[in-house]
Amino acid sequence: QKEVEQDPGPLSVPEGAIVSLNCTYSNSAFQYFMWYRQYSRKGPELLMYTYSSGNKEDGRFTAQVDKSSKYISLFIRDSQPSDSATYLCAMDSGGSNYKLTFGKGTLLTVNP
Amino acid sequence: EAGVVQSPRYKIIEKKQPVAFWCNPISGHNTLYWYRQNLGQGPELLIRYENEEAVDDSQLPKDRFSAERLKGVDSTLKIQPAELGDSAVYLCASSLQGTFYGADEKLFFGSGTQLSVL
């Protein structure tokens, strides 16, 4: 079993839909949780960051972490065609060895 | 602000040939990372530098891969000889320090070098 599991999709939704992206993980030491967005032929860029459990909202994006279930989510409200990209979850346990563990990524297409 | 610059963007070589990738991190960033991203997968860390020192190279296949970061700025990653399984996107990233959590300490990625080994 991989440390981080993410459904690769692809996921196709109409413009304006609410999108839910999820990851599960097995390493209970993870306490830093991130979502990266990667456009085609580009490097990943940090979208959301959450420490430990809880919710974090930034505009149309909401990140949720449930450490008891080892489950994280990213919600996108009022999705736009410009949101079409691959979304990667990433996690780390902190400390001095910074080694992000990424999920496979979910390919999202928002259709106008 | 200029981002992380990588070259070349694409490279096609035959197996057993050598290949090198170059990375120029964001000015002032002390920490530099090389990641490999296979098709349909997330990036995996190959090596991490703090200034000139390679502090984590545990995932670097040392029989064929080598890296250097002279003067603590630019870095090169080399593969010799390349194998078919090395086909992937090689991403360089940098951060101000060794952390990349939160708004102030972000990990910035370059656009990567897409390597095809035939």
Side-chain angles (χ1 to χ4, degrees):
Chain A
Q1 181 191 12
K2 299 200 80 170
E3 277 192 300
V4 179
E5 299 281 359
Q6 183 177 8
D7 186 342
L11 186 61
S12 181
V13 301
E15 183 175 354
I18 296 175
V19 176
S20 173
L21 304 168
N22 311 293
C23 288
T24 59
Y25 63 95
S26 58
N27 188 345
S28 57
F30 287 149
Q31 50 182 335
Y32 296 90
F33 304 92
M34 284 144 275
W35 286 94
Y36 283 79
R37 178 174 61 194
Q38 186 173 24
Y39 290 114
S40 181
R41 296 185 180 86
K42 296 291 186 181
E45 58 177 336
L46 182 64
L47 192 61
M48 297 285 287
Y49 148 76
T50 308
Y51 170 70
S52 193
S53 286
N55 295 357
K56 188 170 186 177
E57 188 173 321
D58 183 3
R60 296 184 295 110
F61 298 89
T62 299
Q64 289 184 351
V65 174
D66 182 349
K67 290 189 71 178
S68 62
S69 302
K70 298 189 176 66
Y71 187 87
I72 71 170
S73 301
L74 177 70
F75 297 95
I76 307 174
R77 293 184 300 278
D78 188 24
S79 56
Q80 302 295 308
S82 59
D83 295 328
S84 299
T86 296
Y87 290 80
L88 298 149
C89 62
M91 309 176 189
D92 189 66
S93 56
S96 59
N97 266 340
Y98 302 105
K99 188 182 295 184
L100 280 179
T101 301
F102 283 87
K104 287 185 176 182
T106 300
L107 178 60
L108 171 67
T109 301
V110 181
N111 301 298
Chain B
E1 164 184 284
V4 176
V5 179
Q6 291 188 246
S7 69
R9 288 285 283 120
Y10 304 92
K11 190 73 176 178
I12 301 174
I13 62 172
E14 294 187 345
K15 63 181 181 182
K16 301 185 181 179
Q17 294 298 305
V19 65
F21 315 121
W22 175 81
C23 173
N24 179 238
I26 292 173
S27 177
H29 279 195
N30 297 321
T31 308
L32 183 145
Y33 313 76
W34 283 102
Y35 282 84
R36 178 169 59 189
Q37 187 172 22
N38 292 310
L39 187 65
Q41 303 292 319
E44 293 181 329
L45 181 68
L46 291 173
I47 189 168
R48 176 169 68 96
Y49 281 93
E50 295 286 347
N51 298 304
E52 299 175 353
E53 182 182 0
V55 296
D56 184 357
D57 63 355
S58 58
Q59 303 300 313
L60 189 72
K62 298 181 184 63
D63 57 337
R64 297 183 300 108
F65 286 65
S66 64
E68 61 181 8
R69 190 183 185 197
L70 298 176
K71 301 181 181 178
V73 181
D74 295 358
S75 178
T76 56
L77 178 69
K78 298 177 181 178
I79 308 175
Q80 182 171 10
E83 297 180 352
L84 296 176
D86 296 331
S87 296
V89 175
Y90 290 83
L91 293 162
C92 179
S94 70
S95 63
L96 192 60
Q97 298 176 35
T99 59
F100 39 69
Y101 310 129
D104 295 330
E105 286 292 341
K106 293 172 70 171
L107 189 66
F108 293 86
F109 282 89
S111 293
T113 296
Q114 185 168 331
L115 173 67
S116 297
V117 182
L118 307 178

